Amino acid sequence: MQVWRSIDDVSSLLRTGLAWTCYSDCDYGITSTLRCGFLIFQVQPAGKRLMTASRAAGKERAVYLKDYRPPDYRIDHVHLGFSMDEESTQVHARLDVVGNGVSLGRPLVLDGRELDLKSIALDGRRLNPRKDYRVDAEHLTIPRVPGRFTLEIETEIHPRNNTTLMGLYVSGGNFCTQCEAEGFRKITYFLDRPDVMARYTTTIVADKLRYPVLLSNGNPVERVDLGDGRHRATWVDPHPKPSYLFALVAGDLACVEDQFVTRSGRPVLLHMYVQHHNADKCGHAMASLKKAMQWDECVFGREYDLDIYQIVAVDDFNMGAMENKGLNVFNSVYVLARPDTATDADYQAIERVIAHEYFHNWSGNRVTCRDWFQLSLKEGFTVFRDQEFGADATSRGVARVQDVNVLRTHQFREDAGPMAHPVRPESYVEINNFYTTTVYNKGAEVVRMLKELIGADGFRRGADLYFERHDGQAVTTDDFVKSMEDANGVNLSQFRLWYSQAGTPQVHIGRAYDARSGIYILHVRQTCPSTPGQPRKEPFHIPLAIALLDDEGRELPVRLMGEHSGVVGTRVLQLRQTEETFVCVSVLQEPVPSLLRGFSAPVRLQSDLSDSERCFLLGRDGDPFSRWEAGQQLAAGLILNLATQSRKQSTQPLNPQFVDAFRATLRSNDLDKAMIAQVLTLPSESYLADLMVPVDPQALHDARVSVLRSLAQTLRDDLLAVYRDNVGRGGYSVDPESVGRRSLKNLCLSYLMELDDPEVRAMCVGQFQRGDNMTDVMAALRALANNDCHERRDALAAFHKKWQGEPLVLDKWFALQATSRLPQTLAEVKALTRHPAFTLKNPNRVRALIGSFCTGNPARFHDRSGSGYAFLADQALKIDRLNPQVAARLVGVLSLWRKYEARRQALMKRQLERILAAPALSRDVHEIASKSLGSAGAKGKGRGGVRRRSRRRS
Ligand code: 7MF
Ligand code: ZN
């Protein structure tokens, strides 16, 4: 027998792919290696064979949509019993299982990972591990079962050592769970797939002093003092749900209480659980929740369906939040806010995320996904719903600009790279990697286009039919579209391509006008670049919203040839072919076309508008989105021109027409202040990077700063005046009007701080010191952090001193330094990784320091030396041992390496190769790195050293 002494020994064994056996009673030290979690197995009673290496070596198979089969078994009821202990929690599960008819004779295969199986009984009879069942790294298989039976399973799990933050884990001394997508299988053996829906009863036993609060889904039915220092709580959830919506929380938390009475008069208790010292930061989240509940009743006719709605805030959380039925778990960043700790942007994000999770109660929980390929069914629709809620809460124009910015800076770039995939993907290796901006944000755009095509009333009819028809079911995106079709008698078969074809379509529009006949022609052509696995595309069904403007900016009637009368205002043209011509008649003067109003489709528009036409639209278009868009295209043109010119020319003066339009916007009184601030914000470096081939991030950065500076120089007095006009009067408030005023004021400040002017700097320091709200303080500190001056050091130190006890504010301090444009930033970031408050175990902190540097600071991250790339790889490999999901997101930054100029390409590629070659890589990171490099590894070829479960700390 061979002896393996180290992790590397074992991983080389796994690479061999040979069958092998390991016994837990061997005394070579392997057992302890196993237990510290590198490997793949569970430690079984002595003599029990564990698993074969051919399995462990990871035939990392992709999962395919085309392979979907309904489950062989149903689980009607689940009784869960937890005995809480950080080191070892005992989980008892009683499952009522029913065969689905055709399943007779098929084995029951339950999912489970990293579980210590203690016992298993079928209809009360204890099963024998030698002959009645098999266990491997990911499954429990019972070959022979009756048609209907009860299964009792006892497992032991180890929450304190769970650094993946999936399944049951400990955050700040409290227990919580995260089960989406496949985390429930880390709690007990189960059919952990969304089309298995069961009723849950959950009993929790825990120490009464340490864990006075015991929560799960549904309604509380019992609380008992066990008399031995422990207590027990029982929760019953009457709604059948998939396992990914299960949640449990146990801890010592403050409860902030409120109430909501539904439209039909049912009272609902609203409970928000936070650490005691945060009880004063829940007001905004609670108000947002009530607003969201009301909005869903008014706009979608959807009411809440339990007696209690609970939200728990935790500091350690992989994503934003989770919609577990009746018990949402939130990253505390999306709950906690006080004027002195949170910015206006934070307030807005809280409102959106609270609404998003609440809206899932119908779009996700009552109607859920058949399989994870349908993820956009709930996510695209729910993002659309939270976007509409946000638009109603503030200003439609500003909300649309923000959403389009997210789409263009993230989704368009994803769609243009090796990770491009359809809104409904066809395959995946690790589902956690498919919670993407394509599934979420493009998915929301697809829902929005349905509304554009069938109108607001028709859309509501379709949504009503969808909820009614599929309540309590697990369905597909096709079912969603079918409801829209059936409720409106329309055919959306071509529209369905938006779900199956990846890539961002390009729409080219040309025009011609004949004054004598009054005929105006729009010639429209669509193309779509190829994406991985999809070399050729069919034309999409695209809603193109347009208006024709006269020389005063008034909307002319749009009357297509053959029509009796025209439509004044926005008109939605429906594109279906590769090339189409729209002939407008009775056009009495040559109009300026306002195209793709409101961003009616997620496409790249190419038109032949001149700069002066764009300036006209920037000043006159009645659609606020199009005004903003005209300004963005002008600014992007300027910056890209500068960035591609030689250095010497980079001080050329700005186009005076553009400066005039800019000045007019600054003083405009027909736009609200938040919108003015949006229009005057130059396109971001990452959006610009999507427009430059190949990308030179440093040149883009320099060009953008140079335009900022020129504008600041030319408009210094105007900017100062607008700054002073908008300094807060009276107390702080977060109403849209005050938020708009602050955003415009702080935009002026950021321009003025480009001037290196002592008067301005003193003003900035004053705002930092006197600021009574985090919005103003951060705006001032951000400007200071970008300038090498002694005020910078002092301000950063003062901020740290004041806020070191508030983790969310400390995250801002880390992020601000990581995004500074100063040349020493990487060195400072490296030093900050050794700061006592820095830890790789907290995802928010990792995102604040490392994530911000790698995604929010393109000029420094893409330093020509490659030091930024090496830093990313170093950190990602360390994080991967703790939390593969967070590591994979970070590695995704390198996936666009082919877009950069040759030198950077090679440097990025080298780091990807280094990551891929690292031992014991997670499935998550392996999939991203291999797909980024375009290698076949992720397609299911055998590969070595890939672990299937995360490392547990020993
Ligand atoms: C608003 O979608 C928009 C998107 C999954 C986790 C929350 O409710 C969610 C969860 C990820 C990425 C983005 C969001 C969420 C998740 C999110 C949150 C608020 N079901 Br991963
Ligand atoms: Zn969601």
Side-chain angles (χ1 to χ4, degrees):
M1 183 187 247
Q2 198 179 333
V3 179
W4 300 289
R5 294 185 189 282
S6 73
I7 284 171
D8 286 340
D9 286 346
V10 179
S11 72
S12 66
L13 161 77
L14 296 184
R15 266 191 286 269
T16 64
L18 298 170
W20 63 286
T21 308
C22 175
Y23 297 91
S24 67
D25 58 344
C26 58
D27 52 2
Y28 310 116
I30 295 288
T31 308
S32 63
T33 308
L34 298 179
R35 291 207 60 101
C36 78
F38 164 66
L39 284 180
I40 331 252
F41 337 65
Q42 29 202 150
V43 177
Q44 290 286 310
K48 167 127 179 107
R49 201 176 112 153
L50 287 175
M51 68 180 306
T52 58
S54 60
R55 185 92 188 93
K59 296 261 168 60
E60 289 298 344
R61 297 258 330 278
V63 186
Y64 293 91
L65 170 59
K66 63 176 165 52
D67 294 341
Y68 175 81
R69 274 200 313 146
D72 290 336
Y73 295 89
R74 217 174 61 221
I75 300 178
D76 288 342
H77 289 97
V78 182
H79 284 79
L80 293 173
F82 288 83
S83 176
M84 307 309 298
D85 179 79
E86 286 199 5
E87 181 64 39
S88 288
T89 288
Q90 311 298 318
V91 184
H92 181 275
R94 198 176 87 219
L95 317 177
D96 295 338
V97 188
V98 186
N100 75 2
V102 301
S103 70
L104 227 66
R106 293 204 189 137
L108 174 72
V109 184
L110 300 177
D111 305 294
R113 289 173 74 179
E114 291 164 76
L115 301 169
D116 287 345
L117 179 59
K118 294 296 170 189
S119 75
I120 172 164
L122 197 156
D123 285 334
R125 186 182 69 88
R126 179 122 187 207
L127 297 189
N128 183 334
R130 287 174 197 281
K131 47 184 218 271
D132 294 334
Y133 65 92
R134 290 194 308 273
V135 174
D136 68 28
E138 304 205 30
H139 304 104
L140 169 76
T141 305
I142 310 178
R144 280 169 308 277
V145 292
R148 174 184 286 271
F149 55 98
T150 299
L151 208 55
E152 283 182 85
I153 307 173
E154 284 182 313
T155 49
E156 185 176 297
I157 51 181
H158 308 280
R160 191 162 66 201
N161 289 345
N162 180 356
T163 59
T164 65
L165 313 187
M166 289 295 286
L168 179 71
Y169 65 94
V170 179
S171 172
N174 302 313
F175 292 99
C176 66
T177 56
Q178 171 58 35
C179 293
E180 188 179 2
E182 297 180 338
F184 191 74
R185 63 187 65 185
K186 296 181 64 171
I187 294 174
T188 189
Y189 286 103
F190 201 73
L191 292 174
D192 192 13
R193 46 188 284 172
D195 56 355
V196 172
M197 298 169 82
R199 288 196 177 80
Y200 284 67
T201 300
T202 305
T203 299
I204 312 164
V205 173
D207 184 277
K208 199 174 175 181
L209 280 179
R210 291 185 65 185
Y211 309 108
V213 173
L214 305 177
L215 311 174
S216 191
N217 315 86
N219 299 311
V221 296
E222 189 195 47
R223 251 184 97 145
V224 183
D225 191 327
L226 297 178
D228 57 355
R230 298 182 306 160
H231 63 153
R232 184 179 76 210
T234 302
W235 293 78
V236 175
D237 185 353
H239 299 280
K241 65 167 174 285
S243 51
Y244 83 87
L245 290 173
F246 171 79
L248 175 153
V249 169
D252 184 6
L253 297 161
C255 179
V256 175
E257 295 187 33
D258 208 326
Q259 216 205 47
F260 180 83
V261 180
T262 68
R263 192 170 56 166
S264 61
R266 253 181 348 94
V268 180
L269 285 176
L270 309 178
H271 286 182
M272 209 163 271
Y273 290 92
V274 296
Q275 289 169 310
H276 292 279
H277 62 272
N278 287 326
D280 62 341
K281 302 193 191 80
C282 297
H284 177 66
M286 189 66 91
S288 302
L289 175 59
K290 288 189 282 186
K291 216 164 133 184
M293 294 177 86
Q294 185 136 37
W295 187 90
D296 213 15
E297 291 183 349
C298 292
V299 179
F300 278 89
R302 298 290 126 200
E303 265 187 48
Y304 188 61
D305 54 8
L306 285 166
D307 303 334
I308 180 166
Y309 192 81
Q310 308 174 101
I311 287 178
V312 179
V314 300
D315 286 342
D316 302 280
F317 203 69
N318 280 344
M319 317 91 50
M322 181 60 211
E323 69 265 23
N324 317 302
K325 184 77 187 188
L327 176 56
N328 293 178
V329 177
F330 272 64
N331 186 327
S332 54
V333 73
Y334 295 115
V335 174
L336 305 177
R338 219 172 48 195
D340 61 329
T341 63
T343 62
D344 293 340
D346 295 330
Y347 272 77
Q348 209 195 342
I350 289 169
E351 186 168 87
R352 248 197 82 181
V353 177
I354 292 264
H356 179 97
E357 304 312 329
Y358 175 72
F359 296 156
H360 268 316
N361 190 58
W362 275 94
S363 49
N365 301 3
R366 290 289 288 253
V367 183
T368 197
C369 304
R370 186 191 74 174
D371 54 72
W372 293 120
F373 297 102
Q374 317 300 326
L375 182 58
S376 196
L377 174 78
K378 73 179 179 79
E379 297 305 347
F381 189 23
T382 303
V383 170
F384 169 77
R385 278 150 55 72
D386 84 52
Q387 287 177 349
E388 286 295 289
F389 169 74
D392 287 345
T394 54
S395 106
R396 237 162 219 276
V398 173
R400 190 66 188 132
V401 162
Q402 290 172 342
D403 295 335
V404 171
N405 262 331
V406 169
L407 189 79
R408 289 211 284 222
T409 50
H410 298 102
Q411 201 277 326
F412 279 21
R413 300 189 81 205
E414 181 168 272
D415 239 357
M419 302 302 297
H421 56 274
V423 169
R424 184 191 56 214
E426 319 258 271
S427 76
Y428 58 78
V429 173
E430 171 52 62
I431 182 57
N432 286 324
N433 287 333
F434 280 80
Y435 283 70
T436 60
T437 171
T438 296
V439 167
Y440 276 72
N441 302 92
K442 187 177 181 182
E445 293 300 319
V446 172
V447 174
R448 180 177 301 279
M449 285 190 285
L450 282 170
K451 189 178 170 190
E452 288 281 345
L453 288 171
I454 58 192
D457 294 343
F459 182 78
R460 171 65 196 270
R461 277 194 299 277
D464 286 350
L465 179 60
Y466 167 72
F467 287 128
E468 190 204 333
R469 191 184 265 179
H470 298 297
D471 191 8
Q473 299 178 359
V475 302
T476 64
T477 55
D478 230 36
D479 293 318
F480 182 78
V481 178
K482 188 84 169 56
S483 290
M484 291 289 161
E485 285 182 327
D486 292 354
N488 293 284
V490 292
N491 181 339
L492 295 167
S493 41
Q494 187 185 358
F495 185 83
R496 283 181 170 82
L497 290 169
W498 283 108
Y499 288 97
S500 58
Q501 286 189 158
T504 308
Q506 289 205 8
V507 175
H508 310 254
I509 304 185
R511 61 213 156 118
Y513 178 61
D514 179 49
R516 275 211 348 256
S517 58
I519 285 181
Y520 187 71
I521 289 174
L522 288 174
H523 184 77
V524 187
R525 191 163 54 85
Q526 58 163 305
T527 58
C528 183
S530 49
T531 52
Q534 297 186 335
R536 293 218 136 56
K537 316 276 180 172
E538 299 293 316
F540 290 88
H541 183 184
I542 300 174
L544 178 71
I546 64 150
L548 302 180
L549 307 183
D550 73 8
D551 49 14
E552 299 285 321
R554 285 181 300 242
E555 290 158 345
L556 297 167
V558 180
R559 179 176 156 198
L560 296 182
M561 193 149 56
E563 291 177 346
H564 292 299
S565 58
V567 177
V568 179
T570 304
R571 164 139 205 188
V572 180
L573 305 179
Q574 303 206 11
L575 316 185
R576 294 169 190 272
Q577 262 118 62
T578 306
E579 280 194 57
E580 266 165 289
T581 304
F582 296 89
V583 181
C584 307
V585 296
S586 310
V587 183
L588 300 180
Q589 56 164 281
E590 167 139 39
V592 177
S594 168
L595 302 171
L596 199 68
R597 283 191 144 188
F599 207 69
S600 59
V603 300
R604 296 175 191 265
L605 179 67
Q606 263 164 21
S607 68
D608 57 357
L609 291 183
S610 66
D611 276 4
S612 59
E613 284 175 310
R614 291 211 160 99
C615 282
F616 172 83
L617 292 170
L618 168 56
R620 296 296 184 84
D621 198 324
D623 180 54
F625 172 84
S626 298
R627 258 173 105 159
W628 171 81
E629 176 70 341
Q632 294 292 298
Q633 296 317 316
L634 284 165
L638 274 173
I639 298 169
L640 289 166
N641 258 336
L642 274 182
T644 46
Q645 277 169 11
S646 72
R647 283 293 140 92
K648 283 175 226 102
Q649 290 170 289
S650 67
T651 49
Q652 64 164 38
L654 296 177
N655 168 1
Q657 220 187 347
F658 174 69
V659 177
D660 288 344
F662 200 94
R663 181 187 286 115
T665 307
L666 191 55
R667 303 183 146 177
S668 144
N669 40 32
D670 60 339
L671 287 176
D672 63 67
K673 290 182 175 177
M675 193 67 202
I676 296 177
Q678 288 290 352
V679 174
L680 300 183
T681 301
L682 299 186
S684 68
E685 286 170 39
S686 39
Y687 173 57
L688 294 163
D690 187 47
L691 306 177
M692 186 177 187
V693 185
V695 189
D696 179 343
Q698 186 67 51
L700 274 180
H701 174 81
D702 294 344
R704 186 173 182 277
V705 169
S706 138
V707 173
L708 282 172
R709 249 175 222 154
S710 306
L711 284 167
Q713 274 155 6
T714 318
L715 300 171
R716 183 179 187 276
D717 296 342
D718 304 78
L719 289 163
L720 262 177
V722 175
Y723 177 87
R724 295 202 173 111
D725 276 355
N726 288 285
V727 169
R729 282 175 292 269
Y732 172 88
S733 133
V734 281
D735 61 279
E737 152 85 34
S738 316
V739 171
R741 189 149 16 85
R742 278 190 291 276
S743 65
L744 182 54
K745 174 189 72 178
N746 288 323
L747 181 80
C748 292
L749 178 67
S750 73
Y751 272 100
L752 291 163
M753 280 293 282
E754 293 297 336
L755 296 174
D756 199 22
D757 173 331
E759 188 192 341
V760 171
R761 196 168 326 130
M763 203 172 80
C764 186
V765 171
Q767 176 170 325
F768 171 73
Q769 288 168 343
R770 285 189 310 276
D772 63 346
N773 64 83
M774 188 52 90
T775 306
D776 286 346
V777 170
M778 278 299 284
L781 190 57
R782 177 169 299 116
L784 291 170
N786 274 326
N787 290 281
D788 206 355
C789 53
H790 72 89
E791 292 94 334
R792 171 187 206 267
R793 270 191 312 282
D794 297 348
L796 282 169
F799 190 88
H800 177 264
K801 184 151 178 264
K802 180 165 179 188
W803 294 114
Q804 52 189 312
E806 290 279 354
L808 297 177
V809 186
L810 205 54
D811 285 337
K812 296 181 188 302
W813 182 80
F814 278 107
L816 210 68
Q817 297 175 81
T819 49
S820 166
R821 66 188 181 197
L822 298 182
Q824 69 271 24
T825 294
L826 178 55
E828 288 189 7
V829 168
K830 285 182 177 167
L832 285 169
T833 61
R834 293 184 291 275
H835 190 281
F838 185 76
T839 167
L840 289 178
K841 288 190 185 151
N842 178 262
N844 286 356
R845 192 116 319 154
V846 168
R847 284 186 282 257
L849 185 65
I850 300 167
S852 303
F853 178 75
C854 299
T855 62
N857 198 347
R860 296 274 78 92
F861 172 66
H862 291 280
D863 188 276
R864 283 173 57 79
S865 67
S867 53
Y869 311 145
F871 173 72
L872 180 147
D874 292 345
Q875 299 299 324
L877 289 172
K878 281 190 209 165
I879 296 165
D880 194 38
R881 291 163 190 280
L882 300 165
N883 189 329
Q885 265 182 66
V886 171
R889 297 257 163 185
L890 198 57
V891 172
V893 176
L894 294 174
S895 68
L896 293 178
W897 61 280
R898 281 199 180 86
K899 303 271 170 215
Y900 292 83
E901 43 75 35
R903 181 191 160 99
R904 290 184 175 94
Q905 261 193 36
L907 291 164
M908 291 171 94
K909 181 163 179 262
R910 186 180 308 161
Q911 294 303 325
L912 278 169
E913 286 163 351
R914 183 186 148 212
I915 290 169
L916 203 56
L921 210 59
S922 69
R923 169 157 70 191
D924 309 55
V925 169
H926 188 279
E927 181 179 24
I928 302 285
S930 58
K931 285 186 176 170
S932 297
L933 287 166
S935 57
K939 288 249 170 82
K941 294 247 173 85
R943 34 175 246 269
V946 176
R947 74 183 192 275
R948 297 186 141 225
R949 63 190 269 198
S950 56
R951 185 184 298 265
R952 259 194 231 150
R953 278 181 303 143
S954 40

